[in-house]
PDB file of all heavy atoms in Angstrom:
ATOM      1  N   GLN W  50       9.945  11.487   0.201  1.00 93.00           N
ATOM      2  CA  GLN W  50       8.519  11.356  -0.097  1.00 93.00           C
ATOM      3  C   GLN W  50       7.906  12.744   0.028  1.00 93.00           C
ATOM      4  O   GLN W  50       8.456  13.624   0.677  1.00 93.00           O
ATOM      5  CB  GLN W  50       7.846  10.432   0.912  1.00 93.00           C
ATOM      6  CG  GLN W  50       8.358   9.022   0.875  1.00 93.00           C
ATOM      7  CD  GLN W  50       7.787   8.197   2.004  1.00 93.00           C
ATOM      8  OE1 GLN W  50       7.573   8.669   3.098  1.00 93.00           O
ATOM      9  NE2 GLN W  50       7.549   6.928   1.734  1.00 93.00           N
ATOM     10  N   TRP W  51       6.768  12.915  -0.562  1.00 96.00           N
ATOM     11  CA  TRP W  51       6.030  14.172  -0.435  1.00 96.00           C
ATOM     12  C   TRP W  51       4.727  13.882   0.259  1.00 96.00           C
ATOM     13  O   TRP W  51       4.068  12.882  -0.032  1.00 96.00           O
ATOM     14  CB  TRP W  51       5.806  14.789  -1.808  1.00 96.00           C
ATOM     15  CG  TRP W  51       7.047  15.487  -2.275  1.00 96.00           C
ATOM     16  CD1 TRP W  51       8.124  14.904  -2.873  1.00 96.00           C
ATOM     17  CD2 TRP W  51       7.355  16.862  -2.142  1.00 96.00           C
ATOM     18  NE1 TRP W  51       9.080  15.843  -3.126  1.00 96.00           N
ATOM     19  CE2 TRP W  51       8.631  17.059  -2.700  1.00 96.00           C
ATOM     20  CE3 TRP W  51       6.674  17.957  -1.623  1.00 96.00           C
ATOM     21  CZ2 TRP W  51       9.246  18.302  -2.733  1.00 96.00           C
ATOM     22  CZ3 TRP W  51       7.282  19.194  -1.671  1.00 96.00           C
ATOM     23  CH2 TRP W  51       8.550  19.357  -2.217  1.00 96.00           C
ATOM     24  N   LEU W  52       4.354  14.776   1.153  1.00 97.00           N
ATOM     25  CA  LEU W  52       3.117  14.637   1.916  1.00 97.00           C
ATOM     26  C   LEU W  52       2.152  15.735   1.512  1.00 97.00           C
ATOM     27  O   LEU W  52       2.546  16.890   1.362  1.00 97.00           O
ATOM     28  CB  LEU W  52       3.405  14.758   3.417  1.00 97.00           C
ATOM     29  CG  LEU W  52       4.534  13.910   3.970  1.00 97.00           C
ATOM     30  CD1 LEU W  52       4.720  14.200   5.459  1.00 97.00           C
ATOM     31  CD2 LEU W  52       4.291  12.439   3.727  1.00 97.00           C
ATOM     32  N   VAL W  53       0.909  15.365   1.342  1.00 97.00           N
ATOM     33  CA  VAL W  53      -0.170  16.329   1.162  1.00 97.00           C
ATOM     34  C   VAL W  53      -0.960  16.278   2.476  1.00 97.00           C
ATOM     35  O   VAL W  53      -1.557  15.249   2.810  1.00 97.00           O
ATOM     36  CB  VAL W  53      -1.075  15.982  -0.028  1.00 97.00           C
ATOM     37  CG1 VAL W  53      -2.228  16.974  -0.128  1.00 97.00           C
ATOM     38  CG2 VAL W  53      -0.261  15.960  -1.321  1.00 97.00           C
ATOM     39  N   VAL W  54      -0.908  17.366   3.220  1.00 96.00           N
ATOM     40  CA  VAL W  54      -1.542  17.425   4.540  1.00 96.00           C
ATOM     41  C   VAL W  54      -2.867  18.172   4.394  1.00 96.00           C
ATOM     42  O   VAL W  54      -2.919  19.314   3.958  1.00 96.00           O
ATOM     43  CB  VAL W  54      -0.634  18.144   5.564  1.00 96.00           C
ATOM     44  CG1 VAL W  54      -1.291  18.179   6.929  1.00 96.00           C
ATOM     45  CG2 VAL W  54       0.727  17.445   5.630  1.00 96.00           C
ATOM     46  N   LEU W  55      -3.933  17.486   4.768  1.00 95.00           N
ATOM     47  CA  LEU W  55      -5.290  18.007   4.611  1.00 95.00           C
ATOM     48  C   LEU W  55      -5.968  18.060   5.976  1.00 95.00           C
ATOM     49  O   LEU W  55      -6.221  17.031   6.596  1.00 95.00           O
ATOM     50  CB  LEU W  55      -6.075  17.113   3.659  1.00 95.00           C
ATOM     51  CG  LEU W  55      -7.516  17.466   3.370  1.00 95.00           C
ATOM     52  CD1 LEU W  55      -7.623  18.826   2.694  1.00 95.00           C
ATOM     53  CD2 LEU W  55      -8.147  16.391   2.493  1.00 95.00           C
ATOM     54  N   GLU W  56      -6.222  19.273   6.443  1.00 92.00           N
ATOM     55  CA  GLU W  56      -6.934  19.452   7.706  1.00 92.00           C
ATOM     56  C   GLU W  56      -8.419  19.198   7.462  1.00 92.00           C
ATOM     57  O   GLU W  56      -8.985  19.650   6.465  1.00 92.00           O
ATOM     58  CB  GLU W  56      -6.732  20.863   8.255  1.00 92.00           C
ATOM     59  CG  GLU W  56      -5.283  21.203   8.555  1.00 92.00           C
ATOM     60  CD  GLU W  56      -4.675  20.368   9.663  1.00 92.00           C
ATOM     61  OE1 GLU W  56      -5.404  19.876  10.528  1.00 92.00           O
ATOM     62  OE2 GLU W  56      -3.440  20.217   9.658  1.00 92.00           O
ATOM     63  N   ASP W  57      -9.053  18.496   8.373  1.00 92.00           N
ATOM     64  CA  ASP W  57     -10.464  18.127   8.244  1.00 92.00           C
ATOM     65  C   ASP W  57     -11.136  18.370   9.600  1.00 92.00           C
ATOM     66  O   ASP W  57     -11.396  17.449  10.359  1.00 92.00           O
ATOM     67  CB  ASP W  57     -10.545  16.653   7.826  1.00 92.00           C
ATOM     68  CG  ASP W  57     -11.961  16.199   7.501  1.00 92.00           C
ATOM     69  OD1 ASP W  57     -12.891  17.017   7.565  1.00 92.00           O
ATOM     70  OD2 ASP W  57     -12.106  15.005   7.182  1.00 92.00           O
ATOM     71  N   PRO W  58     -11.402  19.660   9.933  1.00 89.00           N
ATOM     72  CA  PRO W  58     -11.875  19.989  11.281  1.00 89.00           C
ATOM     73  C   PRO W  58     -13.213  19.371  11.666  1.00 89.00           C
ATOM     74  O   PRO W  58     -13.507  19.242  12.838  1.00 89.00           O
ATOM     75  CB  PRO W  58     -11.952  21.514  11.250  1.00 89.00           C
ATOM     76  CG  PRO W  58     -11.975  21.897   9.827  1.00 89.00           C
ATOM     77  CD  PRO W  58     -11.282  20.808   9.078  1.00 89.00           C
ATOM     78  N   HIS W  59     -14.012  18.954  10.676  1.00 89.00           N
ATOM     79  CA  HIS W  59     -15.327  18.387  10.980  1.00 89.00           C
ATOM     80  C   HIS W  59     -15.401  16.896  10.626  1.00 89.00           C
ATOM     81  O   HIS W  59     -16.490  16.325  10.610  1.00 89.00           O
ATOM     82  CB  HIS W  59     -16.417  19.168  10.262  1.00 89.00           C
ATOM     83  CG  HIS W  59     -16.387  20.628  10.561  1.00 89.00           C
ATOM     84  ND1 HIS W  59     -16.697  21.138  11.798  1.00 89.00           N
ATOM     85  CD2 HIS W  59     -16.021  21.680   9.803  1.00 89.00           C
ATOM     86  CE1 HIS W  59     -16.559  22.445  11.785  1.00 89.00           C
ATOM     87  NE2 HIS W  59     -16.145  22.794  10.586  1.00 89.00           N
ATOM     88  N   ALA W  60     -14.251  16.304  10.309  1.00 91.00           N
ATOM     89  CA  ALA W  60     -14.185  14.892   9.917  1.00 91.00           C
ATOM     90  C   ALA W  60     -15.210  14.577   8.828  1.00 91.00           C
ATOM     91  O   ALA W  60     -15.904  13.574   8.875  1.00 91.00           O
ATOM     92  CB  ALA W  60     -14.369  13.985  11.126  1.00 91.00           C
ATOM     93  N   ALA W  61     -15.260  15.464   7.828  1.00 91.00           N
ATOM     94  CA  ALA W  61     -16.285  15.356   6.794  1.00 91.00           C
ATOM     95  C   ALA W  61     -15.799  14.703   5.499  1.00 91.00           C
ATOM     96  O   ALA W  61     -16.603  14.281   4.676  1.00 91.00           O
ATOM     97  CB  ALA W  61     -16.831  16.756   6.472  1.00 91.00           C
ATOM     98  N   TYR W  62     -14.477  14.610   5.304  1.00 93.00           N
ATOM     99  CA  TYR W  62     -13.969  14.097   4.041  1.00 93.00           C
ATOM    100  C   TYR W  62     -14.010  12.572   4.009  1.00 93.00           C
ATOM    101  O   TYR W  62     -13.724  11.903   5.004  1.00 93.00           O
ATOM    102  CB  TYR W  62     -12.550  14.603   3.785  1.00 93.00           C
ATOM    103  CG  TYR W  62     -12.470  16.119   3.709  1.00 93.00           C
ATOM    104  CD1 TYR W  62     -11.455  16.792   4.356  1.00 93.00           C
ATOM    105  CD2 TYR W  62     -13.402  16.848   3.004  1.00 93.00           C
ATOM    106  CE1 TYR W  62     -11.376  18.195   4.289  1.00 93.00           C
ATOM    107  CE2 TYR W  62     -13.339  18.238   2.934  1.00 93.00           C
ATOM    108  CZ  TYR W  62     -12.322  18.889   3.586  1.00 93.00           C
ATOM    109  OH  TYR W  62     -12.257  20.250   3.534  1.00 93.00           O
ATOM    110  N   ASP W  63     -14.344  12.040   2.852  1.00 94.00           N
ATOM    111  CA  ASP W  63     -14.467  10.599   2.634  1.00 94.00           C
ATOM    112  C   ASP W  63     -13.068   9.970   2.569  1.00 94.00           C
ATOM    113  O   ASP W  63     -12.323  10.184   1.614  1.00 94.00           O
ATOM    114  CB  ASP W  63     -15.224  10.396   1.329  1.00 94.00           C
ATOM    115  CG  ASP W  63     -15.422   8.931   0.968  1.00 94.00           C
ATOM    116  OD1 ASP W  63     -14.893   8.045   1.678  1.00 94.00           O
ATOM    117  OD2 ASP W  63     -16.117   8.667  -0.036  1.00 94.00           O
ATOM    118  N   THR W  64     -12.724   9.196   3.594  1.00 95.00           N
ATOM    119  CA  THR W  64     -11.384   8.620   3.634  1.00 95.00           C
ATOM    120  C   THR W  64     -11.168   7.595   2.516  1.00 95.00           C
ATOM    121  O   THR W  64     -10.039   7.421   2.056  1.00 95.00           O
ATOM    122  CB  THR W  64     -11.079   7.979   5.009  1.00 95.00           C
ATOM    123  OG1 THR W  64     -12.084   7.020   5.308  1.00 95.00           O
ATOM    124  CG2 THR W  64     -11.008   9.030   6.094  1.00 95.00           C
ATOM    125  N   ALA W  65     -12.218   6.942   2.052  1.00 96.00           N
ATOM    126  CA  ALA W  65     -12.081   6.006   0.946  1.00 96.00           C
ATOM    127  C   ALA W  65     -11.672   6.750  -0.323  1.00 96.00           C
ATOM    128  O   ALA W  65     -10.819   6.285  -1.089  1.00 96.00           O
ATOM    129  CB  ALA W  65     -13.377   5.237   0.722  1.00 96.00           C
TER     130      ALA W  65
END
Side-chain angles (χ1 to χ4, degrees):
Q50 296 173 324
W51 281 82
L52 310 177
V53 177
V54 180
L55 180 62
E56 299 295 334
D57 187 1
H59 305 292
Y62 300 135
D63 180 355
T64 56

